[in-house]
Amino acid sequence: MILMAKEISMSTKYDPKQVEPGRYQAWLDQNLFKPSGDKKAKPYSIVIPPPNVTGKLHLGHAWDTTLQDMIIRQKRMQGFDTLWLPGMDHAGIATQAKVEARLAEQGVSRYDLGREKFIDTVWKWKDEYADIIHKQWAKLGLSLDYDRERFTLDDGLSKAVRKVFVKLYQKGLIYRGEYIINWDPKARTALSDIEVIHKDVKGAFYHVKYPFADDTTFAGKKYIEIATTRPETMMGDVAVAVHPSDKRYKDLVGKTLVLPLQGRHIPIIADEYVDPEFGTGMVKITPAHDPNDFGVGNRHDLKRINTMNEDATMNANAGKYEGLDRFEARKEIVKDLEDQGYMLRVEPIVHSVGHSERTGVQVEARLSTQWFVKMEPLAEAALANQKTDDPVKFVPERFENTFEQWMNNIHDWVISRQLWWGHQIPAWYHKKTGEVYVGEEAPKDIENWEQDPDVLDTWFSSALWPFSTMGWPDENAADFKRYFPTDTLVTGYDIIFFWVSRMIFQSVEFTERRPFEHVLIHGLIRDEQGRKMSKSLGNGIDPMDVIDKYGADALRWFLSNGSAPGQDVRFSYTRMDAAWNFINKIWNASRFVIMNLDEGTHAELPEKAAWKLSDKWIISRLNHTIAEVTRLFDSFEFGEAGRALYNFIWNDFCDWYIEMSKEDLNGTDQTAKKNTQNILCFVLDQTLRLLHPIMPFVTEKIWLSMPHDGSSLVTASYPTTDNDHADQKAEDEMDNLIELIKSVRNSRAEVNAPLSSAVDILIKTKDQRTKNIFETNKEYIERFCHPKKLEIAATVEAPALAVTSVITGAEVYLPLADLVDLNEEINRLQKDVKKLAAEVKRGENKLGNERFVTNAPTEIVEQEREKLSGYKEKLTATKERIKKLEEEL
């Protein structure tokens, strides 16, 4: 036991700048964040969702990592062999876009540098931002094991990526083919479906004449009408399609049309893809620029005419429009259609258009040769695993439906990206024969081969994160055997598709296990108005700025109490003020306790025989809080755990027990003083341990300033319940006493009678138990209520001019003749009658509900019955008091 109470001074106001600096480095220096190495201890592991090395961490990262740190800190204190593995993601297209933007400011492109020098530049960017992220992790207090830190492009993870690619290729689950894919013309790379964000933009339906190539007429006209939103792709049209069962056009199938502005002949075909109810029921088919048209073209063996370059400028197939940007080409084509009499009308619309998640530009559907993962068998295996005894448990459960819906409707995954930053695809093409070689290592006669220049989608490597970071594909790796599968993943609901789903199917495929037992889904951080934080709105909040103002512990407290699992949270400076105030309350309460401890004080309880009612009560309340907080942490209900802690600390400990302890601390009974000091020390010690996972800095500072065992709270034992400490009788009796004190204080406040003035207090009770409680604890009534005269009896005669309150088992009268207005007192009591009547009705309805009575735990039902009985007694007594007062008028 180390005693430092008298040696360390605590300021009168909590100042995080005096508490937090240097603490994190001290933890690192003591190696406190590493696994314990205790083989008898149960392992518990979390892998951090690796932040992208594209920039600084935002509030969402702070929320996500705070929740993980709370979990791992609690488990470490509970004796688990914990591993929280850190790392970062190379982030492919996102990082390359950032670096290219920086180079563009210098007038340089990646092509000017060449691939090798450009990649060197990106590595420098990575080192720069990894350093920033490390500093942010430290500022947040994250208890990560940095010795195990990984990066998705490090050698070990790169080996895992190659292994997975080759195995999937050998099983026929990776293939190469020409398909319509989403194309980002700014980054000049393919995108997967979920990297495309759809936005409503202003556009138009352009209604264009497509003339017949012969003398055919339709509805008296020598043309048909086609509506398109993208006239810039017209030069790639190869047909017009109608539905086979559309009787309007059955005679037109097989006829030939002339493509406006180009003169090329195209057929009218029948295909079930066409919706006869939409528009005219006739659609132009452009297989190289639309995924649905691509399918139609395959079925009818139509030519694919690509009219755009990689940067979305028009190519030679666009004829006179070659070299124009796609949107400039649209304007020119529309003008020419109007000038040459092909344009029937232009109908303005607002429609949903895909944009690149990374660069923000409008996505093109582009014909391209890419690498794909065949998803159906992988998805089926992942879904089947959810029905075994090794499923991933989603918290909240509803997000499993989100996962299953996506897996049931998944498309093949385009995994190649036309980038330089990332895992280069392990496929080589023979320079002479064109033979394709796929392998974990390059061909031995490398001079005869050329590697595919594309890289893999960044999600391909991050999908392996839970097991590649543990040493896989070496299944005998110590960490893989000890800590995989991991226990909990914490992430936002916005990347269930991107990342969570992919980790699940890759883990099932390559380890035959789930990647984690639980996936805790949180929401998004929004501003005070409920808007998503974004650069365009200018409403983003830098978590480091918040820490500079309030401290990391205040931010962590706010984030841990922000919302229930799966729900969004609104950031609020008002709530940050409240978080700081709460810590300040803890600080000052702790300071009071520490300054009132003696040299021989220990965080140990005295013999139970020496406990007074208030001692029994606070120890029982602490025991209950330990049970509640532990239960709520285990179910990831951190907001509710925070509420339980707040109520215990602010109400039970600070407002009541500390105030009651002053009687003994300032009294002459040295034994009572010593007992109270030990109990204060014990309760504070246990409370700091409960709080430590949420606010590690301030709890450590206080704990080291008081009698303690060990060098740090990081590895101190987490509180556990003790059946001997549970005392419902003491809690009930103390509740009676607190209710009495509150009622007297409220009555005084009603008539502006200050606590400093002594007043008569008359307590009428026929309940012997209640009478005993009040008589045994008169010193508390005297301290908190300041009575001039205190009478507790069954036969108390209430004077007419008295403020009345009805509490459990008693009626309380304050004879304040000069201050009481009978009419006002009657009105006040009538308000009480309404409140009590409402409570009685609520209780009767609840107990009248057969489902509640049958299904609820017996103790809950009994509690409701006791509450109802109490409310009925209070209602009757209040009504009787009103009747007596009315008789006095």
Side-chain angles (χ1 to χ4, degrees):
M1 176 69 69
I2 301 171
L3 180 65
M4 306 180 73
K6 299 297 181 184
E7 298 164 20
I8 294 189
S9 61
M10 293 174 66
S11 61
T12 55
K13 187 178 179 182
Y14 165 65
D15 181 2
K17 289 183 173 62
Q18 298 298 316
V19 170
E20 295 179 3
R23 179 58 52 202
Y24 193 75
Q25 189 58 48
W27 287 329
L28 292 178
D29 291 344
Q30 294 175 70
N31 291 322
L32 298 179
F33 300 158
K34 297 183 181 303
S36 67
D38 181 358
K39 298 303 179 186
K40 294 179 182 177
K42 187 176 180 183
Y44 193 99
S45 60
I46 296 176
V47 288
I48 200 168
N52 296 342
V53 288
T54 48
K56 301 175 182 178
L57 303 181
H58 53 64
L59 264 179
H61 290 116
W63 189 13
D64 192 88
T65 52
T66 292
L67 297 182
Q68 293 169 69
D69 194 42
M70 287 163 51
I71 295 168
I72 212 75
R73 280 181 180 272
Q74 188 209 40
K75 295 298 181 187
R76 186 185 291 119
M77 293 175 75
Q78 288 176 328
F80 286 82
D81 176 25
T82 55
L83 168 62
W84 188 17
L85 189 146
M88 300 180 201
D89 197 327
H90 68 281
I93 185 173
T95 304
Q96 179 159 321
K98 291 276 189 180
V99 176
E100 288 198 75
R102 179 184 278 184
L103 290 172
E105 291 172 0
Q106 304 164 14
V108 178
S109 76
R110 61 168 156 149
Y111 302 102
D112 295 329
L113 294 177
R115 186 165 188 150
E116 190 173 331
K117 285 187 178 179
F118 176 75
I119 290 174
D120 287 343
T121 303
V122 187
W123 274 106
K124 289 174 185 174
W125 170 285
K126 178 263 178 186
D127 291 341
E128 176 186 343
Y129 279 91
D131 185 55
I132 292 170
I133 290 169
H134 283 140
K135 289 174 180 174
Q136 291 180 303
W137 281 347
K139 208 165 181 178
L140 279 163
L142 307 185
S143 57
L144 296 154
D145 180 3
Y146 290 101
D147 286 350
R148 285 175 165 84
E149 184 175 352
R150 307 304 297 270
F151 182 58
T152 47
L153 276 177
D154 70 23
D155 290 342
L157 272 68
S158 296
K159 181 179 180 181
V161 166
R162 292 193 299 272
K163 183 86 169 178
V164 167
F165 186 97
V166 171
K167 279 201 166 188
L168 290 175
Y169 179 79
Q170 290 170 346
K171 288 184 72 171
L173 295 178
I174 281 183
Y175 63 94
R176 191 167 184 253
E178 189 177 51
Y179 285 86
I180 286 286
I181 47 89
N182 301 301
W183 183 262
D184 181 330
K186 184 175 181 181
R188 300 188 190 185
T189 185
L191 301 173
S192 65
D193 289 344
I194 53 177
E195 291 173 304
V196 177
I197 299 171
H198 286 82
K199 302 177 184 177
D200 286 343
V201 299
K202 291 180 179 178
F205 265 130
Y206 300 92
H207 294 260
V208 182
K209 295 178 183 177
Y210 277 54
F212 289 105
D214 54 21
D215 294 332
T216 301
T217 60
F218 176 72
K221 297 171 184 175
K222 293 184 177 181
Y223 61 84
I224 62 169
E225 179 181 333
I226 294 293
T228 179
T229 59
R230 307 199 63 218
E232 65 271 22
T233 65
M234 282 179 58
M235 301 303 106
D237 288 1
V238 293
V240 166
V242 299
H243 195 277
S245 63
D246 195 333
K247 295 178 181 178
R248 293 173 296 174
Y249 306 127
K250 64 177 182 177
D251 295 333
L252 294 182
V253 175
K255 297 290 184 180
T256 304
L257 301 168
V258 177
L259 182 63
L261 305 182
Q262 196 181 64
R264 179 162 43 83
H265 288 199
I266 60 175
I268 297 176
I269 62 174
D271 193 277
E272 292 189 351
Y273 153 67
V274 181
D275 180 359
E277 303 298 322
F278 183 76
T280 62
M282 306 182 82
V283 295
K284 71 186 192 73
I285 302 300
T286 319
H289 292 282
D290 182 277
N292 294 311
D293 293 4
F294 178 80
V296 174
N298 286 350
R299 287 192 289 275
H300 295 269
D301 198 24
L302 298 173
K303 191 175 181 182
R304 302 165 184 160
I305 303 175
N306 183 6
T307 65
M308 286 188 198
N309 297 311
E310 288 184 354
D311 61 355
T313 56
M314 310 308 290
N315 64 21
N317 290 330
K320 64 176 281 191
Y321 308 104
E322 182 180 5
L324 292 177
D325 171 77
R326 54 183 165 166
F327 299 119
E328 193 58 39
R330 179 185 297 180
K331 292 177 185 176
E332 292 296 318
I333 290 171
V334 167
K335 183 178 182 298
D336 288 347
L337 288 170
E338 289 172 338
D339 290 348
Q340 296 180 35
Y342 288 108
M343 187 70 74
L344 290 166
R345 65 186 183 281
V346 177
E347 176 188 346
I349 61 168
V350 174
H351 60 146
S352 181
V353 177
H355 289 72
S356 170
E357 182 202 30
R358 302 301 188 183
T359 64
V361 301
Q362 187 171 311
V363 169
E364 283 294 332
R366 188 171 189 270
L367 187 65
S368 179
T369 299
Q370 302 287 342
W371 289 91
F372 294 83
V373 172
K374 191 179 292 183
M375 282 305 308
E376 188 177 350
L378 295 170
E380 285 176 354
L383 289 168
N385 190 72
Q386 289 300 99
K387 295 178 173 61
T388 69
D389 57 2
D390 192 44
V392 173
K393 299 165 189 170
F394 285 79
V395 182
E397 288 182 10
R398 68 178 183 274
F399 286 106
E400 183 167 4
N401 295 330
T402 305
F403 162 73
E404 289 181 349
Q405 285 171 14
W406 191 66
M407 296 300 273
N408 278 315
N409 295 284
I410 201 167
H411 299 107
D412 283 2
W413 174 18
V414 54
I415 55 171
S416 46
R417 297 290 182 270
Q418 288 63 55
L419 304 170
W420 291 351
W421 174 246
H423 293 99
Q424 194 167 350
I425 289 174
W428 288 261
Y429 309 107
H430 198 280
K431 292 176 181 177
K432 291 183 179 178
T433 66
E435 177 191 350
V436 179
Y437 165 78
V438 172
E440 293 181 51
E441 305 297 335
K444 291 181 180 179
D445 55 335
I446 189 63
E447 67 277 5
N448 297 319
W449 299 81
E450 185 172 6
Q451 188 171 1
D452 193 308
D454 290 353
V455 300
L456 289 163
D457 177 13
T458 188
W459 298 105
F460 192 91
S461 52
S462 56
L464 316 179
W465 187 251
F467 53 95
S468 64
T469 55
M470 300 287 186
W472 190 94
D474 178 5
E475 295 186 357
N476 290 315
D479 281 357
F480 181 77
K481 291 174 75 174
R482 177 70 172 160
Y483 300 109
F484 183 84
T486 64
D487 290 272
T488 300
L489 176 82
V490 182
T491 191
Y493 59 62
D494 53 331
I495 58 170
I496 293 175
F497 306 141
F498 286 101
W499 192 44
V500 176
S501 299
R502 286 172 172 158
M503 283 189 286
I504 294 173
F505 72 67
Q506 292 286 46
S507 182
V508 170
E509 172 68 18
F510 288 98
T511 73
E512 298 181 346
R513 293 294 311 275
R514 62 189 176 194
F516 26 76
E517 180 178 0
H518 291 101
V519 52
L520 172 60
I521 304 292
H522 60 75
L524 303 178
I525 296 267
R526 299 185 179 275
D527 67 11
E528 289 190 73
Q529 299 174 45
R531 301 175 301 176
K532 187 176 179 180
M533 290 185 177
S534 67
K535 287 182 181 177
S536 59
L537 290 174
N539 62 346
I541 303 286
D542 186 335
M544 300 304 114
D545 292 342
V546 179
I547 291 173
D548 287 340
K549 183 176 180 181
Y550 294 97
D553 286 327
L555 177 60
R556 289 170 64 110
W557 176 258
F558 162 75
L559 293 171
S560 69
N561 285 276
S563 72
Q567 300 299 311
D568 292 346
V569 64
R570 295 189 182 192
F571 180 81
S572 158
Y573 282 108
T574 302
R575 292 178 66 185
M576 283 305 308
D577 288 336
W580 183 90
N581 284 334
F582 179 48
I583 299 177
N584 192 52
K585 181 85 168 180
I586 296 166
W587 180 264
N588 283 318
S590 302
R591 181 174 180 271
F592 170 82
V593 171
I594 291 169
M595 298 305 289
N596 279 282
L597 300 181
D598 288 335
E599 225 27 67
T601 306
H602 300 293
E604 297 171 358
L605 294 173
E607 290 296 321
K608 196 170 184 179
W611 298 1
K612 296 190 301 185
L613 173 62
S614 57
D615 301 331
K616 295 175 185 175
W617 170 74
I618 195 64
I619 292 164
S620 184
R621 291 296 305 134
L622 172 64
N623 198 62
H624 175 77
T625 303
I626 292 168
E628 274 296 278
V629 170
T630 304
R631 179 183 68 81
L632 291 165
F633 256 67
D634 286 346
S635 58
F636 306 110
E637 292 283 352
F638 302 120
E640 291 301 314
R643 272 184 277 279
L645 280 166
Y646 181 93
N647 290 334
F648 173 75
I649 293 165
W650 195 292
N651 299 330
D652 299 343
F653 189 51
C654 295
D655 286 357
W656 291 104
Y657 188 74
I658 284 180
E659 288 303 312
M660 289 177 168
S661 73
K662 291 175 183 177
E663 287 294 311
D664 290 329
L665 294 176
N666 298 324
T668 57
D669 186 335
Q670 292 304 306
T671 301
K673 179 181 178 181
K674 184 176 184 298
N675 288 343
T676 299
Q677 287 174 323
N678 283 337
I679 291 172
L680 279 167
C681 191
F682 175 81
V683 174
L684 179 57
D685 171 88
Q686 295 291 289
T687 302
L688 292 172
R689 292 170 191 250
L690 284 175
L691 276 170
H692 181 73
I694 307 174
M695 37 178 90
F697 292 100
V698 70
T699 51
E700 177 95 331
K701 171 68 174 176
I702 296 169
W703 192 74
L704 291 175
S705 304
M706 64 180 286
H708 61 275
D709 278 322
S711 60
S712 173
L713 267 180
V714 174
T715 50
S717 347
Y718 196 74
T720 55
T721 56
D722 185 331
N723 289 337
D724 284 346
H725 292 175
D727 193 333
Q728 191 59 49
K729 180 173 177 287
E731 290 197 43
D732 291 342
E733 290 180 0
M734 193 67 180
D735 287 344
N736 281 134
L737 194 57
I738 289 173
E739 188 181 12
L740 168 65
I741 294 167
K742 283 182 175 179
S743 76
V744 172
R745 287 177 166 180
N746 291 339
S747 294
R748 280 176 168 273
E750 288 281 343
V751 292
N752 295 315
L755 274 172
S756 57
S757 62
V759 297
D760 291 346
I761 300 175
L762 311 178
I763 303 173
K764 180 181 178 180
T765 177
K766 295 176 182 177
D767 182 63
Q768 190 59 44
R769 172 185 163 278
T770 304
K771 185 172 182 289
N772 290 340
I773 293 168
F774 293 159
E775 287 181 337
T776 307
N777 294 280
K778 272 186 181 178
E779 72 270 21
Y780 295 128
I781 300 173
E782 288 165 356
R783 172 176 171 76
F784 290 101
C785 299
H786 197 185
K788 181 163 57 177
K789 170 190 169 187
L790 177 61
E791 184 180 347
I792 306 169
T795 56
V796 167
E797 281 298 324
L801 294 177
V803 181
T804 308
S805 54
V806 179
I807 63 173
T808 304
E811 296 164 46
V812 185
Y813 306 106
L814 274 62
L816 300 168
D818 296 337
L819 300 173
V820 177
D821 179 307
L822 283 182
N823 285 308
E824 286 185 7
E825 179 67 359
I826 290 169
N827 287 336
R828 186 179 69 80
L829 291 171
Q830 284 174 337
K831 289 177 184 175
D832 287 346
V833 165
K834 285 184 180 178
K835 291 177 186 175
L836 290 166
E839 289 294 343
V840 168
K841 186 176 181 182
R842 183 202 64 80
E844 287 176 340
N845 288 340
K846 198 165 190 178
L847 290 167
N849 183 335
E850 191 176 331
R851 286 181 63 188
F852 168 74
V853 175
T854 304
N855 298 323
T858 306
E859 62 271 19
I860 299 295
V861 176
E862 281 306 311
Q863 284 174 16
E864 284 297 324
R865 288 195 176 116
E866 287 173 15
K867 278 198 275 184
L868 178 58
S869 176
Y871 284 128
K872 283 181 174 179
E873 285 179 17
K874 291 178 185 179
L875 181 59
T876 301
T878 306
K879 285 179 176 178
E880 287 176 358
R881 178 60 178 161
I882 290 172
K883 186 178 178 182
K884 286 184 180 180
L885 290 178
E886 286 174 340
E887 290 171 356
E888 296 291 335
L889 287 175

